[in-house]
């Protein structure tokens, strides 16, 4: 079937997003299978149609007819109510009325369905049948008369009361769950007509005032507490005028009202999810703040969860709690039940939160394999080694939809994992994709070797690089927006004997909005550093190895002093993040724009604060020192192991000691240590083998408590999540200046600075361990410990 569709699409030159042909073919196949008596195959076909076109009513009716013919009619009720709910949301009142009428036939005691039927009838204008529906509701209540505490949930997706009470789930705001009248809904045509009969064409939805009171009648709390527009207006998230504008747009394009408001930037994704929770009388959850059971999540394949936009959260007996963004997705609920064999309880979460949790609990290997499996070029690629592929063949491969989706998913997963770098490495029989998360490289996926040339060529095209050149290193740049973040990717390729290796550095512009306390500055250290960067002139250096966060500290410090009365200019190689009101200069040695040349020009631009990306040579160092001595505040970086060594490093470059003593006002050395994951953090008594070497104080009655992470899905079994700074700040005083003038060693400077109150990297690292921020192993791995 898929091969036929691929051939048809290729023959018609259809765009990837055009699913019209797919819908028609799958629907035709479902009708054929139904006539041949293959009900299971027909069900699969109609579910595929609903997945491709969730607002098209025809497949809902066919699927409901197939389910209604079975002994258990609950699936048919679920399909019909899902159709009715979608029609209600889109203002197609007559279609909603017909769907609920048929569902009420199959479940005559379900007051929720009858109430939805009443609402559809009233808005459709079928007022003559309201009394009949009200009588049916009263009769259903008398027949059911459930004992106290019994659940009235019909179908498969249970309401909020069916979800076991657990403090980890925050119910939707009950004050906003509007008590509404049992909704009037006269049936369209004969309520007893065959469910498989085709529904009428959609009608134009009337504009309903969202601030009008509910219709009169007996009140009932139900699955549809109110229309979405009523809920969000009563919550104060949007105005009635905005909803009316969205309704007008909905009449033109038929899109869901909530999605239109999100696209209008009138409503956030989280607000929409909370409104749906109220509307469906289901709990709302903020997934990143809750602990998701990884074993429960893996009861459903990753590609199924991603396709439908849900994530299983936990299992309780034979029930599976599932967080979903669209509770009306009948196909998703049915698929969950089929693949897990469990009943389903729903909670509502925003699609952004669900995507973030997907990155935590699902690996990418299965998804990439699923994507690449459908590539029509796969067999062709396997027949020829990647290095022998022609440029024309490579271009054909990278334009293939599966390759495009595979690369997009790698980039998206890296962003969700908060990775700083993506490594795509060729091996003999596979391609390794690794992410650097919290400074540590982690294996993420291993696509087949056959996909190597296409994956790398796709990235090179995105970065405007030459895909025909595989013998020389290349550099490129990609700008993208993902998950409401503006990202810049620096791309570098390196030829190896097994093919090209690609490294992408992810530069998240939101990181420039961090504050000094978020970096780890606190108490006396924060006060001392803010005092230094507020000085009108002088040289401040930040030291540490590559990847220790020096640039982030400098950018955050600039943001702290970036006021309209200051002119701030930087010269960097490269400019990693763009900062508002800072004039940033990119070094370009090819045209003669070096750090030294750029600095000379900057000094003629009337700067107050100058940022130099790195002091690499004597010329740059001397210009920086001269600038700091002529009324400018200069911030820069050097590569040394600790703060006192920065002075000897400048001397080694050829700078005179008296210039260093006159200009330098402070040196900050730093490292980044991984933070223990808060979700799996546990305490344990410190062993003697750790206490003595580190000089930790403890007693028999009060042993030293240390902390570690057990490893969970939130931290990808590492026990760590996020990073924090460990600092050593040496503030220059008269004693230290005399030592610099005398050419004293870094060890002598360290002793004097320590005597003057400097807390060393070692001491700050031990403090981080004792406060429970990081582990002993991490501190010893990262912090330069000098006895």
């Amino acid at each position: 079937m898929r091969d036929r569709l691929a051939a048809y699409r290729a023959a018609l030159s259809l765009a990837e997003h055009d699913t019209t042909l797919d819908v028609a073919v799958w629907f035709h196949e479902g009708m054929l299978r139904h006539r041949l008596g293959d009900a299971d195959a027909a069900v699969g076909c109609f579910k595929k149609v609903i997945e491709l076109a969730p607002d098209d009513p025809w497949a809902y009716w066919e699927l409901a007819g197939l389910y209604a013919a079975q002994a258990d009619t609950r699936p048919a009720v679920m399909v019909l109510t899902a159709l009715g709910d979608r029609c209600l949301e889109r203002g197609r009142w007559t279609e909603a009325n017909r769907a609920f009428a048929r569902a009420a036939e199959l479940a005559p005691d379900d007051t929720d369905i009858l109430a939805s039927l009443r609402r559809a009838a009233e808005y459709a204008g079928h007022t003559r049948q309201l009394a009949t529906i009200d009588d049916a509701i009263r009769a259903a209540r008398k027949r059911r008369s459930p004992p106290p505490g019994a659940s009235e949930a019909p179908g498969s997706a249970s309401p909020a009361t069916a979800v076991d009470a657990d403090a980890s789930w925050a119910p939707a705001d009950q004050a906003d769950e509007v008590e509404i009248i049992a909704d009037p809904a006269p049936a369209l045509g004969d309520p007893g007509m065959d469910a498989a009969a085709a529904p009428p064409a959609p009608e134009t939805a009337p504009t309903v005032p969202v601030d009008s009171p509910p219709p009169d009648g007996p009140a009932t709390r139900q699955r549809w507490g109110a229309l979405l527009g009523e809920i969000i207006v009563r919550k104060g998230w949007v105005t009635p005028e905005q909803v009316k504008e969205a309704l007008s747009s909905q009449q033109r394009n038929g899109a869901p009202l909530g999605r239109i408001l999100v696209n209008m930037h009138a409503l956030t994704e989280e607000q929409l999810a909370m409104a749906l929770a109220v509307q469906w009388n289901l709990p709302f959850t903020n997934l990143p703040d809750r602990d998701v059971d990884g074993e429960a999540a893996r009861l459903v394949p990753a590609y199924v969860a991603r396709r439908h936009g849900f994530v299983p959260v936990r299992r309780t007996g034979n029930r599976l709690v599932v967080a979903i963004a669209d509770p009306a997705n009948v196909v998703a609920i049915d698929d969950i039940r089929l693949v897990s064999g469990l009943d389903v309880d729903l909670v509502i979460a925003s699609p952004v939160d669900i995507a973030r949790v997907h990155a935590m609990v699902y690996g990418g290997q299965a998804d990439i394999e699923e994507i690449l499996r459908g590539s029509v070029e796969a067999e062709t690629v396997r027949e020829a080694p990647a290095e022998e592929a022609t440029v024309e063949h490579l271009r054909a491969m990278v334009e293939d939809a599966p390759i495009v989706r595979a690369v997009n998913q790698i980039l998206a997963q890296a962003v969700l994992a908060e990775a700083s770098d993506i490594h795509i490495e060729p091996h003999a029989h596979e391609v390794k994709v690794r992410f650097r998360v919290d400074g540590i490289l982690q294996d993420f996926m291993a696509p087949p070797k056959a996909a190597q040339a296409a994956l790398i060529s796709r990235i090179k095209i995105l970065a405007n690089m030459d895909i025909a050149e595989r013998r020389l290193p290349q550099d490129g740049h990609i700008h993208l927006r993902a998950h409401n973040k503006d990202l810049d990717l620096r791309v570098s390729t390196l030829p190896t004997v097994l093919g090209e290796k690609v490294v992408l550095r992810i530069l998240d512009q939101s990181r420039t909005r961090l504050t000094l306390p978020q970096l780890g500055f606190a108490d006396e250290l924060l006060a001392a550093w803010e005092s230094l960067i507020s000085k009108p002139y002088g040289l401040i250096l930040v030291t540490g190895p590559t990847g220790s966060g020096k640039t982030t500290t400098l950018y955050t410090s600039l943001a702290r002093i970036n006021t309209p009365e200051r002119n701030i200019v930087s010269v960097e190689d490269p400019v990693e993040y763009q900062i508002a009101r800072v004039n940033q200069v990119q070094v370009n040695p090819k045209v003669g724009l070096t750090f030294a040349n750029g600095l000379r020009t900057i000094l003629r631009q009337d700067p107050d604060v100058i940022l130099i990306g790195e002091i690499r040579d004597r010329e740059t160092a001397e210009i920086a020192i001269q600038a700091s001595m002529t009324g400018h505040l200069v911030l820069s970086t050097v590569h040394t192991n600790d703060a006192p060594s920065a002075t000897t490093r400048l001397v080694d470059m050829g700078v005179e000691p008296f210039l260093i003593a006159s200009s330098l006002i402070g040196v900050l050395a730093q490292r980044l240590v991984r933070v223990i994951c808060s979700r799996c953090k546990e305490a344990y008594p410190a062993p003697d083998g750790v206490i003595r070497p580190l000089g930790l104080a403890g007693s028999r009655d009060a042993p030293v408590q240390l902390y570690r992470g057990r490893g969970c899905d939130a931290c990808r079994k590492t026990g760590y999540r996020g990073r924090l700074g460990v600092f050593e700040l040496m503030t220059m005083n008269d004693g230290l200046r005399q030592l610099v003038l005398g050419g004293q060693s870094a060890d002598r400077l360290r002793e004097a600075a320590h005597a003057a109150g400097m807390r060393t990297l070692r001491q700050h690292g031990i403090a981080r361990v004792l406060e429970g921020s990081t582990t002993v192993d991490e501190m010893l791995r990262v912090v330069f410990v000098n006895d």
Side-chain angles (χ1 to χ4, degrees):
M1 179 70 172
R2 297 181 186 274
D3 293 339
R4 285 162 44 200
L5 264 175
Y8 294 154
R9 295 180 66 86
L12 296 174
S13 300
L14 293 179
E16 180 186 355
H17 62 272
D18 188 348
T19 61
T20 306
L21 176 66
D22 304 66
V23 170
V25 171
W26 281 109
F27 189 87
H28 174 77
E29 184 74 11
M31 296 296 292
L32 178 61
R33 296 294 181 182
H34 188 188
R35 286 195 297 270
L36 295 175
D38 191 350
D40 291 341
V43 165
C45 292
F46 292 130
K47 285 170 60 178
K48 184 65 177 179
V49 174
I50 294 174
E51 179 184 334
L52 294 171
D55 293 328
D56 191 333
W58 298 86
Y60 285 91
W61 284 99
E62 295 294 342
L63 184 60
L66 287 167
Y67 281 147
Q70 302 173 0
D72 185 1
T73 60
R74 286 181 300 174
V77 173
M78 182 183 69
V79 171
L80 291 165
T81 53
L83 173 59
D85 291 338
R86 285 190 174 276
C87 292
L88 273 181
E89 184 182 350
R90 288 150 182 78
R92 303 203 301 258
W93 317 118
T94 305
E95 288 182 51
N97 171 42
R98 183 176 178 213
F100 286 128
R102 178 55 179 157
E105 278 187 34
L106 298 174
D109 291 339
D110 193 319
T111 54
D112 285 355
I113 293 175
L114 291 170
S116 295
L117 175 61
R118 193 179 193 281
R119 173 178 290 278
E122 183 182 39
Y123 283 125
H126 303 290
T127 57
R128 289 182 298 175
Q129 296 188 14
L130 296 183
T132 302
I133 298 173
D134 289 341
D135 291 341
I137 291 173
R138 286 191 287 269
R141 287 175 177 163
K142 290 180 180 179
R143 287 194 299 271
R144 295 180 64 177
S145 299
S151 171
E152 297 185 0
S156 61
S158 304
T161 53
V163 180
D164 56 290
D166 190 321
S168 65
W169 296 111
D173 186 358
Q174 297 299 318
D176 291 311
E177 290 183 357
V178 184
E179 293 277 5
I180 71 156
I181 311 338
D183 298 344
L188 173 64
D190 183 7
M193 67 188 301
D194 183 15
E203 78 271 11
T204 301
T207 300
V208 180
V210 296
D211 52 354
S212 60
D216 296 331
T220 177
R221 187 173 299 281
Q222 57 184 31
R223 186 172 42 78
W224 265 78
L227 288 179
L228 187 67
E230 298 173 2
I231 295 170
I232 57 180
V233 168
R234 290 175 183 176
K235 280 181 172 287
W237 291 335
V238 299
T239 65
E241 290 72 23
Q242 287 175 314
V243 175
K244 290 174 183 177
E245 180 184 349
L247 286 170
S248 176
S249 175
Q250 185 185 60
Q251 292 181 15
R252 295 191 299 270
N253 57 35
L257 179 65
R259 184 52 47 196
I260 294 174
L261 288 166
V262 170
N263 294 337
M264 289 169 53
H265 303 291
L267 196 67
T268 66
E269 293 282 5
E270 185 176 19
Q271 288 171 339
L272 175 58
M274 293 174 69
L276 288 173
V278 174
Q279 187 180 45
W280 283 73
N281 196 18
L282 290 170
F284 169 82
T285 178
N286 186 349
L287 279 174
D289 297 332
R290 301 272 76 88
D291 196 1
V292 177
D293 183 358
E295 296 301 321
R298 285 185 281 272
L299 289 173
V300 177
Y303 70 90
V304 176
R306 294 191 199 280
R307 180 193 305 161
H308 294 305
F310 67 82
V311 60
V313 179
R314 69 174 181 273
R315 177 179 179 176
T316 305
N318 67 338
R319 307 196 70 83
L320 188 63
V321 179
V322 175
I324 194 168
D326 181 8
N329 189 340
V330 59
V331 178
I333 299 168
D334 211 12
D335 283 352
I336 297 168
R337 188 189 300 107
L338 286 174
V339 299
S340 68
L342 303 172
D343 291 327
V344 180
D345 292 328
L346 295 183
V347 295
I348 306 297
S350 76
V352 174
D353 290 342
I354 290 172
R356 188 177 294 114
V357 173
H358 280 169
M360 293 192 307
V361 299
Y362 292 126
Q365 172 68 47
D367 290 338
I368 292 294
E369 289 180 353
E370 177 72 13
I371 289 172
L372 295 177
R373 191 178 300 128
S375 175
V376 296
E377 298 286 346
E379 294 300 326
T380 306
V381 174
R382 292 189 185 97
E383 292 172 1
E387 61 269 20
E388 297 178 6
T390 64
V391 174
E392 292 75 14
H393 186 57
L394 282 175
R395 292 191 183 278
M397 289 161 59
V398 299
E399 291 173 0
D400 191 27
I403 295 298
V404 173
R405 293 199 301 271
V407 172
N408 290 346
Q409 182 160 319
I410 291 173
L411 299 179
Q413 290 300 307
V415 174
L416 288 171
E418 298 181 351
S420 61
D421 300 88
I422 305 171
H423 290 242
I424 302 178
E425 304 170 342
H427 290 262
H429 304 293
E430 62 184 358
V431 181
K432 283 285 187 184
V433 177
R434 300 197 290 171
F435 294 166
R436 187 177 294 278
V437 181
D438 295 334
I440 303 296
L441 276 173
Q442 302 174 11
D443 286 341
F444 181 71
M445 64 180 72
K449 184 71 173 178
Q452 174 181 319
L455 287 173
I456 293 175
S457 296
R458 173 62 181 169
I459 291 172
K460 291 170 74 174
I461 285 178
L462 291 174
N464 294 317
M465 298 160 73
D466 184 1
I467 66 171
E469 181 55 74
R470 306 171 212 163
R471 301 166 299 173
L472 296 175
Q474 295 187 65
D475 294 312
H477 174 269
I478 301 173
H479 178 79
L480 60 89
R481 182 169 177 81
H483 307 292
N484 296 319
K485 292 183 178 181
D486 287 313
L487 303 169
D488 289 300
L489 278 64
R490 290 211 316 263
V491 185
S492 173
T493 65
L494 177 69
T496 72
V497 295
L498 295 175
E500 287 181 289
K501 176 185 176 181
V502 179
V503 175
L504 299 93
R505 166 65 59 89
I506 302 174
L507 303 174
D508 184 355
Q509 298 297 330
S510 65
R511 293 179 184 175
T512 61
R513 294 190 290 270
L514 296 174
T515 63
L516 290 171
Q518 287 176 314
L519 298 182
F521 287 82
D523 304 328
E524 296 88 355
L525 175 66
L526 177 61
W529 181 248
E530 288 188 332
S531 175
L532 277 179
I533 63 177
S534 300
K535 300 286 187 185
Y537 58 85
L539 174 64
I540 300 174
L541 297 177
V542 179
T543 79
T546 301
S548 59
K550 300 186 297 297
T551 301
T552 301
T553 296
L554 286 177
Y555 280 177
T556 306
S557 301
L558 281 186
R560 178 69 179 81
I561 61 175
N562 189 0
T563 56
E565 60 268 17
R566 283 192 175 97
N567 175 25
I568 302 177
V569 187
S570 75
V571 53
E572 306 169 61
D573 183 23
V575 174
E576 295 191 356
Y577 302 103
Q578 296 180 9
I579 310 174
R581 289 207 309 266
V582 175
N583 305 284
Q584 297 171 273
V585 178
Q586 171 79 52
V587 168
N588 189 354
K590 294 180 180 179
V591 297
L593 181 55
T594 62
F595 275 112
N597 292 338
L599 272 174
R600 290 192 184 95
T601 304
I602 285 174
L603 291 174
R604 295 192 290 271
Q605 291 288 315
D606 186 29
D608 297 298
V609 181
I610 301 172
L611 169 64
I612 306 171
E614 182 182 351
I615 295 179
R616 299 175 179 174
D617 52 44
R618 175 181 176 178
E619 187 179 14
T620 304
E622 289 182 341
I623 297 174
I625 288 174
Q626 291 170 8
S628 68
M629 296 173 65
T630 55
H632 306 90
L633 181 66
V634 180
L635 296 90
S636 188
T637 69
V638 291
H639 287 282
T640 62
N641 287 325
D642 58 7
S645 300
T647 59
T648 57
R649 177 77 179 107
L650 292 177
V651 171
D652 292 341
M653 289 182 185
V655 181
E656 294 293 340
F658 75 89
L659 292 176
I660 301 172
S662 301
S663 61
L664 188 64
I665 62 175
V667 183
L668 178 75
Q670 71 176 63
R671 302 289 189 277
L672 291 177
V673 295
R674 290 182 293 172
V675 177
I676 299 172
C677 176
S678 60
R679 298 191 183 183
C680 59
K681 183 177 181 179
E682 63 180 9
Y684 69 99
D688 292 338
V690 171
I691 293 177
R692 283 194 296 271
L694 296 182
L696 302 179
S699 66
R700 187 182 302 274
D701 297 330
V704 176
Q705 285 283 101
L706 300 181
Y707 300 86
R708 62 192 172 197
R710 296 187 305 274
C712 63
D713 289 317
C715 61
R716 295 180 179 271
K717 308 298 183 183
T718 63
Y720 301 96
R721 191 174 185 190
R723 288 193 290 178
L724 196 63
V726 173
F727 302 100
E728 174 181 279
L729 178 60
M730 183 179 76
T731 304
M732 296 297 290
N733 55 33
D734 290 340
L736 292 174
R737 290 190 178 94
Q738 289 300 322
L739 292 176
V740 172
L741 283 171
Q744 296 294 321
S745 67
D747 290 339
R748 182 70 184 90
L749 283 170
R750 186 181 304 108
E751 292 172 2
H754 186 46
M758 180 186 79
R759 182 165 63 168
T760 66
L761 283 170
R762 180 179 188 272
Q763 291 173 322
H764 197 194
I766 292 174
R768 291 288 192 211
V769 171
L770 293 177
E771 73 187 16
S773 296
T774 191
T775 64
V776 173
D777 291 340
E778 180 68 5
M779 192 272 289
L780 293 175
R781 182 186 71 85
V782 174
V783 177
F784 177 75
V785 179
N786 191 345
D787 295 327

